[in-house]
Amino acid sequence: MAYLEQVFEVSQRRACDVLGVDRTMVRYRSRRGDDGAIRERMRGLAVERRRFGYRRLHWLLGREGVMINHKKFRRLYREERLEVRRRGGRKRALGTRAPMTIPQGRNQCWSLDFVSDAFACGRRFRIFAVVDDFTRECVRLIADTSISGLRVARELDWAIAERSRPALIVSDNGAELTSMAILRWSKERDVEWHYIAPGKPQQNGFIESFNARLRDECLNETIFTSLPQARSVLAAWRYDYNHHRPHSSLGNLTPVEMAAKSIGKPGWGLTPNPVVITPAQGHQSGRRLYS
């Protein structure tokens, strides 16, 4: 249109007739509002939460009072090119799967595991993690160069002093977790300990999911130079995880909000009657899980 009007010196009406274009299309001016503030805040949140996708960023904006349709938010998110690049994972062996047992209250079941990482100098250290399966709270997150069975028992005692005694603890068959110190601790504290089948990490899915979030959002994002620095970073991340990070499995509540919601509800937090699960072939004994 502009070319015809300029070169041939014709009116807009004549140019539209020649090209077969409706004049309303030429004269249309967008009435879309300015989303500059939302885009700027979106970029700021994406810098702070580098591994958060558009759903969690949308939830965080909603908590700040910014109400925006999720479809429009996703459009702005894609226009700003904030998509999180998915990290490749290793191939995993396929096997039989069974439905996981879901606890019905706080402190009914804790899951624990170890995560390994390294300092910038190459020296490796370990992280001992404990998660409440119901509220997804990170109960303990301890970093050290060596963590023995006695240290695990001591950390669990401190966790119990802060919260309450769990009815069940789920773990793998690591040397620290099958030591005499842990067996003696479990008997003295009257805490049932459930060991998953060897080579079946999916049977401890709550802690495996937590480990993936820990590695993706904290360990892979940080270069550790010393043990005190690692402990400080993990303590800050654990506080943020428990108090500010939304969980889709909890209806976008944080673990602390889920724990507060569960307090005072009839039947929540009480220990249900255990059900004996028949062991699979090759297992030595039955395991008591919660229904």
Side-chain angles (χ1 to χ4, degrees):
M1 290 293 304
Y3 176 81
L4 292 180
E5 291 178 11
Q6 181 178 2
V7 174
F8 295 98
E9 299 181 353
V10 296
S11 65
Q12 186 183 86
R13 183 187 300 274
R14 179 58 177 166
C16 288
D17 291 340
V18 171
L19 297 177
V21 176
D22 196 328
R23 293 174 64 195
T24 58
M25 182 185 71
V26 178
R27 296 183 176 186
Y28 174 78
R29 296 294 179 265
S30 176
R31 300 178 181 177
R32 179 175 293 174
D34 182 19
D35 299 318
I38 296 178
R39 291 174 184 268
E40 183 178 356
R41 183 54 184 154
M42 186 189 307
R43 289 192 297 268
L45 287 174
V47 171
E48 296 174 9
R49 311 280 184 168
R50 295 177 55 186
R51 301 302 300 174
F52 275 22
Y54 83 93
R55 290 184 178 88
R56 283 200 171 91
L57 293 180
H58 182 231
W59 184 85
L60 290 176
L61 272 180
R63 296 202 76 170
E64 295 180 1
V66 180
M67 306 306 297
I68 179 174
N69 183 277
H70 71 279
K71 292 180 286 187
K72 178 180 178 180
F73 184 86
R74 186 176 185 183
R75 175 176 60 80
L76 299 178
Y77 178 84
R78 298 184 68 174
E79 289 177 359
E80 294 296 324
R81 299 182 179 275
L82 299 176
E83 292 89 347
V84 178
R85 184 175 62 87
R86 189 181 294 272
R87 291 192 173 109
R90 62 180 177 84
K91 292 183 178 180
R92 291 174 172 82
L94 298 176
T96 58
R97 299 180 179 179
M100 289 194 59
T101 301
I102 307 299
Q104 299 301 313
R106 189 169 181 256
N107 292 329
Q108 281 189 6
C109 182
W110 291 0
S111 297
L112 52 88
D113 198 6
F114 289 93
V115 182
S116 180
D117 207 341
F119 299 116
C121 63
R123 185 184 182 189
R124 302 198 67 81
F125 67 97
R126 308 186 75 193
I127 302 171
F128 174 60
V130 183
V131 172
D132 188 305
D133 291 354
F134 179 73
T135 64
R136 308 299 198 274
E137 292 176 275
C138 178
V139 180
R140 305 294 287 177
L141 198 61
I142 306 301
D144 212 330
T145 53
S146 177
I147 302 178
S148 63
L150 287 173
R151 175 71 180 279
V152 170
R154 191 161 61 248
E155 294 294 341
L156 290 176
D157 279 334
W158 289 340
I160 290 174
E162 294 175 358
R163 297 167 57 89
S164 181
R165 181 174 58 88
L168 175 70
I169 291 180
V170 181
S171 74
D172 58 18
N173 297 270
E176 302 86 354
L177 305 177
T178 56
S179 63
M180 291 301 298
I182 291 299
L183 296 177
R184 182 170 55 252
W185 180 91
S186 176
K187 183 177 180 180
E188 292 175 355
R189 302 299 187 276
D190 192 25
V191 175
E192 186 176 357
W193 201 291
H194 168 66
Y195 293 102
I196 65 174
K200 298 290 184 179
Q202 63 270 24
Q203 295 181 4
N204 202 9
F206 291 106
I207 193 66
E208 293 295 338
S209 175
F210 172 82
N211 291 345
R213 303 287 79 74
L214 171 64
R215 188 168 297 281
D216 186 45
E217 298 175 10
C218 180
L219 302 185
N220 289 345
E221 297 290 313
T222 309
I223 298 178
F224 298 103
T225 57
S226 64
L227 191 57
Q229 182 240 357
R231 289 170 174 168
S232 175
V233 170
L234 289 173
W237 185 86
R238 173 176 174 254
Y239 181 86
D240 180 78
Y241 179 89
N242 285 337
H243 290 80
H244 300 296
R245 186 186 188 280
H247 287 250
S248 56
S249 60
L250 302 179
N252 284 330
L253 296 176
T254 65
V256 170
E257 290 172 342
M258 186 63 182
K261 181 179 178 182
S262 65
I263 295 176
K265 290 199 173 185
W268 287 37
L270 302 178
T271 304
N273 295 326
V275 178
V276 178
I277 304 299
T278 304
Q281 185 176 2
H283 291 224
Q284 296 180 353
S285 61
R287 291 177 170 82
R288 298 170 66 193
L289 300 178
Y290 289 108
S291 60

